[in-house]
């Protein structure tokens, strides 16, 4: 049986609104030096993206865009223990953006943008974060 469109839309909107609320419960439980990668995955779900770091660690991206205003990067060491947890959408991180940085470098710094707009006639792509 197919649900009416308005019910599906309402349920999706409710889930999107409640997702950041889970962060209030889950993030305080993620402790660098103690929490394992498996615990992070069970609490936060699969990351939106995984970045490999030169030291062998990986950084998992948990963006709350486009509805939210946060993006968490959780770095997991080779021993599968959390090394660092940070919210990267900060004025300081936006201030680190420089001319000539690649898309990958900016994505690594700020996480996935809330929106991307392509202007074909100008040959430009604009990324926005909330």
């Amino acid at each position: 049986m197919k649900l009416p469109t308005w019910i599906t839309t309402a349920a999706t909107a409710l889930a999107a609104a409640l997702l950041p609320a889970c962060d209030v419960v889950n993030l305080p439980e993620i402790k660098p030096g103690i929490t394992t990668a498996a615990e992070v995955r069970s609490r936060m779900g699969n990351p939106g993206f995984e970045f490999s770091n030169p030291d062998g660690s990986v950084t998992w991206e948990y963006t709350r865009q486009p509805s939210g205003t946060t993006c968490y990067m959780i770095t997991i060491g080779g021993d599968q223990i959390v090394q660092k947890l940070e919210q990267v959408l900060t004025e300081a991180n936006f201030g680190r953006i420089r001319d000539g940085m690649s898309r990958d470098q900016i994505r690594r710094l700020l996480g996935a943008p809330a929106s991307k707009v392509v202007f074909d006639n100008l040959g430009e792509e604009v990324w926005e974060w909330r």
Side-chain angles (χ1 to χ4, degrees), residues 37-57:
E39 290 171 312
V40 171
R41 198 175 294 269
S42 72
R43 287 187 168 281
M44 302 291 288
N46 291 326
F49 198 81
E50 293 186 28
F51 300 95
S52 296
N53 301 316
D55 65 358
S57 65

Side-chain angles (χ1 to χ4, degrees), residues 6 16 40 65-66 71-72 76 83 89 97 99 120:
W6 72 270
V40 171
Q65 303 267 332
C71 180
Y72 300 99
I76 312 288
Q83 291 178 342
L89 295 180
I97 296 173
D99 283 339
D120 290 328

